[in-house]
Amino acid sequence: MSLHNNNAAAHIRKMSTVQKLSGMKPGDGLIESHGKGLIKPAGQVELSETALQEEITRILTTNNPHAPQNIVRYSFKDRSYKTCIVDQMAVLFEMEGSLVHEDSDEGRRLRARGGLCEEAATVDTETEPDEEKTETPATPAEDGGEVEEVGEEDRPDSVASKIDRKEPKQTNQFNFSERASQTLNNPQRDRSCQTEPPPRCTFSATASQWEIYDAYVEELQQPEKSQSDDATKLKKAAKILERMVHQNIFDDIAQDFKYFEDPSDEFRDPEGTLLPLWKFHYDKAKRLSVTALCWNNKYQDLFAVGMGSYDFRKQGHGMLLIYTLKNSWFPEHVYPTTSGAMCLDIHKECSYLVAVGFHNGCVAVYNLKQEGTEPVFKSTAKTGEHTDPVWQVRWQKDDMDNNHNFYSVSADGRVVSWTLVKTELVFTDIIRLSMNGTISEGLEHAPQSSIACGTAFDFHQQIDYLFLVGTEDGKIHKCSKTYSSQFLETFDAHNMAVHAVKWNHFHPKVFISCSSDYTVKIWDHTINTPMFTFDLSAAVADVSWSPYSSTVFAAVTTDGRVSVLFHFVLNDVISPSYGGRHMEDK
C-alpha cells in the first residue's frame, strides 16, 4: 500500500515539473492515460496522419564542414593546377593513457620484471613447534570395527596448509620510488627539391592497314638491316686499317709534304724542280682526262676530282672521285656519271655538298653523307639546264631564306643562279652574253653567231654583287648581280679564249687572267689596260693566286710546265719589276 502511494506521489511531482518548465497551467495540453502521461506542448503544430507517416531521410557523412575545399597544387605530370584531397578527420578529444597490452613487448618485459621480484622476496613464516594434534575418539560401529582417524593436515582449510603457502609480498604504498629518463629528441627537418620537368611533345598518328603492313615489312627486314650494319662496321674497320698501313708505308712522303725544301734550288735559278709526292689512280678511269680539281676547305686532306674528256668528238661517261691524302690507293667515294664532268666546286661551310657541271649542259649536286651514287639535285631541260658544256660552277652565300645556291657559266652564253629548294633546283638567269658587247634579250631567238660563249667567271670577295666573266672571244666583262641589263665594263683582254679569271685575295682592285694566246695578265678593274703581261710561250690552261701572298701566283701551260711568278706592290701601285721560276714535271 505504501509502494503504490509513493509511485503516485512521484507521478504528481513529475507532472508539476513539466508544467512549470513549459509554462502550462494545470489541466492544459495534457492527455492523461491510466498508465502513462503524454505531454503535448502548447505551440505544437498539428500534423495530419499522412504527414506523420512521411519518412524524412537524413544522411550523416564523414566530411568535415570546417575543412577547406579549395586547396589546389600544380601538377607537373598534367601541367595544370589540381585540387588536393583534404583530410576530413577531426580530433575532438585525445588523452595519453598508461595501459599496456599484455601481449606487447613492453607488457612481457613488465611481467618478467614482476616475476623476478617475487622470487627475490622471502616470506618469513614461522611454524609452531609441537602443535598438539587433536584426536577424535573412536566410535564403535555397528559391526564392532574401528573408524580411521582423519588427520587434520589433510583438510584444505587446516592451519598447516595455510602455513605452507607463500603469500606474495605486498609493495609498500608509502615508501617506493620510480626512475625514468628521457633522451633529447633531434629536431625534424624536411628536405625537398624540385627539378625542371622534362621536355614533352604530343605525338598522334592514325593506324591504317597500309601502316600496319609497312610495320610488318619493316620488322621482317630487320635481320637484313642487322647484316648490313655488320657489313658497314666491318667496312669502316677495314678502311681504318688500310689507312694505317698506307701511312706506315708512305711516312717519308708525308714528312716531305709538310717540311721538305730542296736546297739545290738556289743554284738552279731561274728553273726549279717539281717532284711528285703521291700518284692517285683509279683503274676504271684510265681512259678519262682530269678536267677539274677542288680542295676541301674543312678537311684539308680531302679533294675532289672531275673526270671527263676534252675531245668533243668522243664524249662518253665521266666520274666524280673523292680522294684523301691518307690513302692514295683507292678513292673514298666514286660517283659514275652519264656525261663527262667538266667543273666542280665544294661548299665552304657544308663541306659535304659538291656542285658539278657536265659536258651535256646539266648541273648536279652530290651529298657525300648519303649512300648511293645518284645526285640529290639535278637539272633537267624543264628546269633550265644549259644547252652547251658547263665550264665553271661556284658556290655563293645562302640567300635570305637560308637556301644554298651556286652559279654556273656555260658556252651557251648564260650565267645562271641555281637555288636548292627542297628536292629541286630553281634557276634564275643572271646575264646572257653576246658578241657585240651588249646583253642579249630573248637569247633563244638570237642567231648562234651573236652569242658569246662564257668560259670562266669569278666573284669579288668583298663586294657581293660584283663578278667577272671571261668569254671565248677573249673579252672579260665586269657584271653585277643586281643590274643585269648591261655590262658595267668590258675589257679587251686577250686575242683567244680566256681560260681563267680570278680576283686577288688581298687587293680588292686586282684580278688576273690567262688565255690560249700564251699570256697571263694582271689587271686593275678601274683601268682598261693591263698592268702586267707575262708571256709563257705556250697556251696557259689555268692560273691561281697564292693563298699566303698577294704578289705570288702560279700558272700551268699545255706543254706540261708549272710557272710560279711574283710581282711587287708598293703604296697600292704595282711595280713593273717581277721575277719568276719555271718548273718542269719530271
Side-chain angles (χ1 to χ4, degrees):
M1 189 68 177
S2 60
L3 180 61
H4 179 71
N5 294 332
N6 291 335
N7 293 335
H11 180 66
I12 293 172
R13 286 196 300 271
K14 182 178 180 181
M15 295 292 294
S16 62
T17 303
V18 172
Q19 290 177 357
K20 290 178 181 180
L21 294 175
S22 60
M24 294 185 298
K25 297 179 180 181
D28 293 341
L30 297 177
I31 302 175
E32 298 184 359
S33 60
H34 297 286
K36 299 180 180 179
L38 182 62
I39 302 174
K40 182 177 181 182
Q44 183 176 355
V45 180
E46 296 291 340
L47 299 176
S48 61
E49 190 66 23
T50 305
L52 291 174
Q53 296 298 329
E54 182 182 359
E55 294 183 358
I56 299 176
T57 304
R58 292 185 179 180
I59 300 174
L60 299 179
T61 61
T62 58
N63 295 335
N64 185 6
H66 302 289
Q69 302 295 333
N70 56 353
I71 296 179
V72 295
R73 287 188 176 89
Y74 186 76
S75 174
F76 289 98
K77 180 180 180 181
D78 300 329
R79 291 188 174 184
S80 62
Y81 287 93
K82 290 191 172 183
T83 58
C84 301
I85 300 176
V86 182
D87 189 8
Q88 302 292 338
M89 184 180 69
V91 179
L92 301 179
F93 177 74
E94 182 179 1
M95 184 181 70
E96 296 183 0
S98 59
L99 297 179
V100 179
H101 198 275
E102 61 179 3
D103 293 336
S104 62
D105 295 338
E106 188 176 359
R108 295 190 185 94
R109 288 196 296 268
L110 292 176
R111 283 193 299 172
R113 188 188 306 172
L116 292 175
C117 295
E118 290 179 1
E119 292 179 0
T122 58
V123 180
D124 298 336
T125 57
E126 296 180 359
T127 57
E128 298 179 358
D130 300 336
E131 185 178 356
E132 295 181 355
K133 298 180 180 179
T134 57
E135 296 181 355
T136 55
T139 56
E142 293 180 356
D143 56 356
E146 296 181 357
V147 180
E148 297 181 356
E149 296 180 356
V150 179
E152 193 174 345
E153 295 178 357
D154 296 337
R155 294 185 304 173
D157 55 347
S158 62
V159 178
S161 62
K162 293 181 179 180
I163 292 173
D164 294 338
R165 295 179 183 175
K166 295 181 180 180
E167 297 181 359
K169 184 180 179 179
Q170 300 293 333
T171 305
N172 188 350
Q173 299 182 2
F174 304 99
N175 186 14
F176 71 95
S177 62
E178 293 182 356
R179 292 181 181 180
S181 63
Q182 183 176 3
T183 59
L184 179 64
N185 295 328
N186 294 325
Q188 296 182 356
R189 297 178 181 178
D190 295 336
R191 289 186 179 182
S192 60
C193 61
Q194 181 177 354
T195 60
E196 295 183 0
R200 300 186 178 188
C201 61
T202 303
F203 173 78
S204 60
T206 303
S208 62
Q209 294 182 355
W210 290 108
E211 293 179 353
I212 296 174
Y213 175 78
D214 294 340
Y216 277 107
V217 171
E218 184 179 359
E219 184 177 358
L220 293 175
Q221 292 177 353
Q222 285 183 356
E224 299 178 0
K225 290 184 179 180
S226 62
Q227 294 177 2
S228 62
D229 294 341
D230 296 340
T232 303
K233 294 179 181 179
L234 181 61
K235 182 179 179 181
K236 184 178 180 180
K239 180 184 292 186
I240 295 174
L241 181 60
E242 185 180 14
R243 288 184 177 182
M244 293 173 60
V245 173
H246 181 272
Q247 292 183 13
N248 291 334
I249 295 175
F250 298 100
D251 181 66
D252 297 338
I253 296 178
Q255 298 299 326
D256 293 342
F257 171 70
K258 294 181 179 179
Y259 310 109
F260 179 77
E261 183 176 356
D262 192 0
S264 63
D265 288 345
E266 298 179 0
F267 307 99
R268 296 178 181 176
D269 192 44
E271 292 186 357
T273 57
L274 185 63
L275 303 177
L277 294 176
W278 294 280
K279 290 185 178 180
F280 300 86
H281 60 88
Y282 185 53
D283 295 337
K284 296 182 179 180
K286 285 183 177 180
R287 298 182 180 180
L288 298 177
S289 302
V290 177
T291 55
L293 189 146
C294 182
W295 287 92
N296 194 310
N297 291 336
K298 184 175 182 181
Y299 303 99
Q300 298 183 358
D301 63 306
L302 199 69
F303 62 95
V305 179
M307 310 293 288
S309 176
Y310 287 112
D311 190 353
F312 303 107
R313 296 171 298 177
K314 298 180 180 179
Q315 287 294 325
H317 70 283
M319 281 188 182
L320 171 64
L321 305 179
I322 309 297
Y323 280 103
T324 176
L325 299 181
K326 298 177 181 178
N327 184 8
S328 61
W329 293 333
F330 197 83
E332 293 291 312
H333 302 279
V334 178
Y335 298 96
T337 60
T338 56
S339 179
M342 307 307 295
C343 56
L344 59 89
D345 189 28
I346 301 177
H347 200 284
K348 293 183 178 180
E349 296 178 358
C350 303
S351 57
Y352 53 88
L353 293 179
V354 181
V356 184
F358 297 98
H359 188 272
N360 60 359
C362 175
V363 293
V365 177
Y366 289 86
N367 191 342
L368 303 183
K369 288 185 176 181
Q370 295 185 2
E371 297 181 357
T373 59
E374 295 297 326
V376 291
F377 297 94
K378 188 175 182 180
S379 64
T380 59
K382 293 182 179 180
T383 57
E385 69 175 10
H386 295 282
T387 57
D388 286 319
V390 180
W391 291 114
Q392 192 170 357
V393 292
R394 184 65 57 87
W395 286 100
Q396 291 296 298
K397 295 181 180 179
D398 296 347
D399 58 8
M400 299 180 63
D401 296 332
N402 295 327
N403 295 324
H404 301 307
N405 66 92
F406 66 94
Y407 282 69
S408 65
V409 61
S410 172
D412 61 357
R414 296 167 58 204
V415 177
V416 183
S417 171
W418 304 90
T419 304
L420 281 62
V421 180
K422 294 183 178 180
T423 58
E424 62 178 352
L425 283 174
V426 179
F427 78 99
T428 303
D429 287 338
I430 302 299
I431 281 181
R432 301 192 179 194
L433 308 175
S434 63
M435 297 289 292
N436 54 11
T438 59
I439 299 176
S440 354
E441 298 291 342
L443 188 63
E444 60 276 2
H445 302 293
Q448 189 70 20
S449 59
S450 65
I451 298 176
C453 300
T455 55
F457 68 157
D458 193 26
F459 293 85
H460 201 281
Q461 297 183 2
Q462 299 179 5
I463 306 174
D464 294 336
Y465 62 86
L466 190 63
F467 67 97
L468 300 170
V469 180
T471 60
E472 198 174 27
D473 57 351
K475 294 182 180 181
I476 298 176
H477 303 289
K478 184 169 66 173
C479 310
S480 174
K481 296 180 183 178
T482 57
Y483 189 70
S484 59
S485 61
Q486 189 175 356
F487 299 129
L488 299 180
E489 193 170 355
T490 300
F491 302 91
D492 292 329
H494 299 275
N495 298 324
M496 299 181 70
V498 178
H499 292 310
V501 54
K502 294 183 180 178
W503 290 97
N504 192 287
H505 301 302
F506 303 95
H507 203 293
K509 295 182 179 180
V510 177
F511 67 91
I512 193 171
S513 64
C514 67
S515 172
S516 298
D517 60 358
Y518 302 178
T519 61
V520 174
K521 295 183 180 181
I522 297 178
W523 303 77
D524 186 335
H525 75 89
T526 60
I527 305 174
N528 292 330
T529 58
M531 293 184 295
F532 292 106
T533 300
F534 303 90
D535 191 352
L536 301 183
S537 302
V540 185
D542 198 4
V543 67
S544 178
W545 289 103
S546 172
Y548 56 84
S549 176
S550 62
T551 60
V552 178
F553 62 93
V556 59
T557 56
T558 56
D559 58 353
R561 289 188 305 166
V562 176
S563 302
V564 179
L565 302 98
F566 60 93
H567 57 84
F568 299 99
V569 179
L570 296 175
N571 297 328
D572 281 350
V573 177
I574 301 179
S575 64
S577 60
Y578 67 93
R581 172 169 291 184
H582 300 283
M583 292 176 286
E584 295 182 358
D585 186 2
K586 297 182 180 179

